[in-house]
Amino acid sequence: MAKKGRVFSGARPTGRQHLGNYLGAIKNYVALQEDYECVYCIVDIHALTTVETTADLKQNTYEMALDWLAAGIRPEESILFVQSHVPQVMELHTLLSMVTQLGKLTDLPTFKEKVRQQPDNINYGLVGYPVLMTADIVLYKTDVVPVGIDQAPHIEFAREIVRSFNYRFNTKVLIEPQAKHTEVLKVLGIDGKEKMGKSLNNHIEIAAAPEETQQRVMQMVTDPARVKRTDPGNPDVCNVYTMHKLFSSPDEIEMVNRDCRTAALGCVDCKKLYAKNLNKHLEPFRAKRAELASKTGYVEEVLNDGAKRACAIAEKTMEEVREAIQLP
Ligand code: ADP
């Protein structure tokens, strides 16, 4: 069947993926493969704007790619690669920077937030982040970028840069990407309050062993008003119930919703049931991950092949770009 167009998405190499990444991004990446030609990029250069050490960069890239592949990214169809393996993106970044106003970059809320977060390392790369992101997207003649509502301004910014470039050089070589709004689910961490993330250590790794998963689930914070075992609970404010709705059967969801309110079901048993269902759901993923990990050099091969295919598209775009600018 003919595909609807090309999708691009990038994520920083954060290593082993957690449930937030899985439910908020990876599952969608996998699903998009049905209708789109997908280009998925591990953006290691972007990571350099914030990381304190690069010692883990290779391992984190490997672990993340392995998780994506085990979760269902199909490398025969989709292009999975590492940003720095396609150096053309750096060239396009420089060229796009000539049509991007500095004031606009320093006014962006994301830049201001980074300045607050790392006042001692306001590097030049941070300012140019959205320009490099635009280069990532347009280098592959992307039609569609899947984004959550909060990221929509980034795509609008990319479209502006494309329009400036095309206008300035009187060309149509660069395509304005469209944002494809996906309903992003915000997965809360085991603290039941903050968004799940590695930096807060409130995450559950999808590749963890079943026992470790169970241990993490048992630490999950439930309805704070429920202190004693005999207190009735309120599933509507309980993150464990939210997760049941994603991983348990309709009967179980109904039972939890009913029996928690009457204290017929305690939090310990409720979490045990969730842990069991979560582990069951992740079983095929974990088996596939182990299988792929046992094939020496498999992930590296996929990434090398992805880089080759990405480079072919990138070089063609760059030839058109250089010609449009009339570079000698
Ligand atoms: P990046 O900064 O590259 O987006 P992250 O690790 O923060 O790296 O996120 C990678 C992807 O996983 C993003 O699409 C992000 O929206 C998604 N994600 C991360 N944490 C969560 C979460 N707790 N709930 C839902 N989605 C999440």
Side-chain angles (χ1 to χ4, degrees), residues 5 20 81 100 113 118 149 200 214 239 270 278 280 302 311 314 322 327:
F81 74 108
T100 310
E113 195 187 319
Q118 49 183 65
I149 279 290
L200 295 173
Q214 160 132 5
N239 188 31
C270 180
L278 176 61
K280 191 158 166 250
V302 166
C311 262
R322 293 178 206 120
L327 287 173

Side-chain angles (χ1 to χ4, degrees), residues 175-193:
I175 299 176
E176 276 185 54
Q178 304 284 336
K180 180 178 165 62
H181 292 289
T182 40
E183 208 189 310
V184 261
L185 191 80
K186 183 170 146 193
V187 179
L188 298 184
I190 58 174
D191 50 32
K193 276 206 299 266

Side-chain angles (χ1 to χ4, degrees), residues 102 159 174 206 232 272 301:
L102 182 61
R159 290 164 62 87
L174 299 184
I206 53 175
K272 277 188 186 155
E301 251 171 57

Side-chain angles (χ1 to χ4, degrees), residues 259-293:
D259 291 355
C260 167
R261 290 178 202 276
T262 61
L265 177 72
C267 292
V268 170
D269 287 334
C270 180
K271 290 190 216 178
K272 277 188 186 155
L273 180 64
Y274 163 51
K276 187 180 96 180
N277 291 341
L278 176 61
N279 276 328
K280 191 158 166 250
H281 178 91
L282 291 174
E283 211 173 79
F285 158 80
R286 288 167 178 169
K288 177 99 185 278
R289 191 184 203 275
E291 182 207 320
L292 297 180

Side-chain angles (χ1 to χ4, degrees), residues 10-12 14 18 20-21 24-25 29 151 185-187 195-197:
R12 287 173 300 135
T14 50
H18 54 69
N21 301 132
Y29 283 3
Q151 289 166 321
L185 191 80
K186 183 170 146 193
V187 179
K195 187 173 162 181
M196 184 179 284

